[in-house]
Amino acid sequence: MTDTTRQPGEPYPRLPLPASGSREDLSAFHAWLANAIPMVTSLGIEKMQREGDRLEWQLALAPNLNDKGTGFGGALAAQTTLQGWCWVTLWLREHGLARDVVVAQASQRFLAPVKGDYRLVCTPRQTNGTEQLHENLQQRGKGRIQLVHQLYCGESLCLEAEGDYAVLPAT
């Protein structure tokens, strides 16, 4: 259920961090996300799963159709940006950190029309990306990570996207 009483400029309360050593409940995170960012309910995210440095979503095409009956590029771009934000936020939560994350830069390359339900996979661009992020957070109190997104419809790669996400200093 979306909170209609929240006003622009008013932050949504953070989701409590998982207990130390506990695994994130992605269903609870998805429910919180839908309240914190109201457009999430319209994006067709059916399932989130996380394994190691990989975040994968299963998405329905129906809420993301364009006038041609294929995936609307703007919705797909929004999904990649949101997924990157979620990747960094979940990584921080796993490390016991409640910090603000913003996208600094994003780009997409559309390779083929999306004609059915699809999956979106997000991973760090560099194999040592998480180690660099962790080191920067410890040394400078802030950090950045580059993420790559790949959208598959069946076995076809339909979109590749990149994002540069910043973890802001603690306030």
Side-chain angles (χ1 to χ4, degrees):
M1 181 108 216
T2 305
D3 180 1
T4 57
T5 62
R6 192 165 119 219
Q7 298 298 311
E10 182 181 325
Y12 194 77
R14 290 186 193 273
L15 182 65
L17 291 171
S20 181
S22 297
R23 190 156 173 87
E24 184 80 49
D25 178 348
L26 291 179
S27 294
F29 179 79
H30 187 193
W32 171 83
L33 189 65
N35 285 313
I37 304 173
M39 74 179 276
V40 166
T41 60
S42 302
L43 292 178
I45 303 167
E46 295 182 335
K47 183 179 177 185
M48 293 184 182
Q49 54 193 49
R50 190 163 177 255
E51 189 173 317
D53 282 347
R54 177 185 175 103
L55 177 61
E56 185 171 327
W57 291 358
Q58 301 293 323
L59 296 112
L61 176 60
N64 300 296
L65 289 172
N66 64 17
D67 58 317
K68 294 169 249 349
T70 61
F72 174 58
L76 304 177
Q79 290 165 351
T80 61
T81 302
L82 177 65
Q83 188 186 44
W85 182 91
C86 287
W87 188 101
V88 178
T89 299
L90 289 166
W91 184 88
L92 288 166
R93 292 172 55 74
E94 180 182 306
H95 290 84
L97 300 170
R99 301 285 289 278
D100 287 328
V101 176
V102 297
V103 60
Q105 184 174 336
S107 64
Q108 302 82 32
R109 202 173 72 159
F110 299 89
L111 305 170
V114 177
K115 297 180 179 181
D117 293 349
Y118 52 99
R119 64 189 167 93
L120 189 57
V121 178
C122 179
T123 56
R125 166 159 289 298
Q126 300 163 317
T127 56
N128 65 342
T130 55
E131 291 85 4
Q132 288 178 349
L133 177 60
H134 189 261
E135 185 177 306
N136 286 334
L137 288 171
Q138 287 186 322
Q139 292 178 358
R140 299 181 17 228
K142 61 183 180 176
R144 287 183 116 126
I145 189 164
Q146 294 177 328
L147 300 174
V148 176
H149 310 269
Q150 294 180 311
L151 185 153
Y152 294 92
C153 189
E155 296 304 312
S156 297
L157 178 61
C158 297
L159 173 135
E160 290 182 318
E162 295 184 19
D164 185 10
Y165 296 84
V167 178
L168 302 180
T171 55

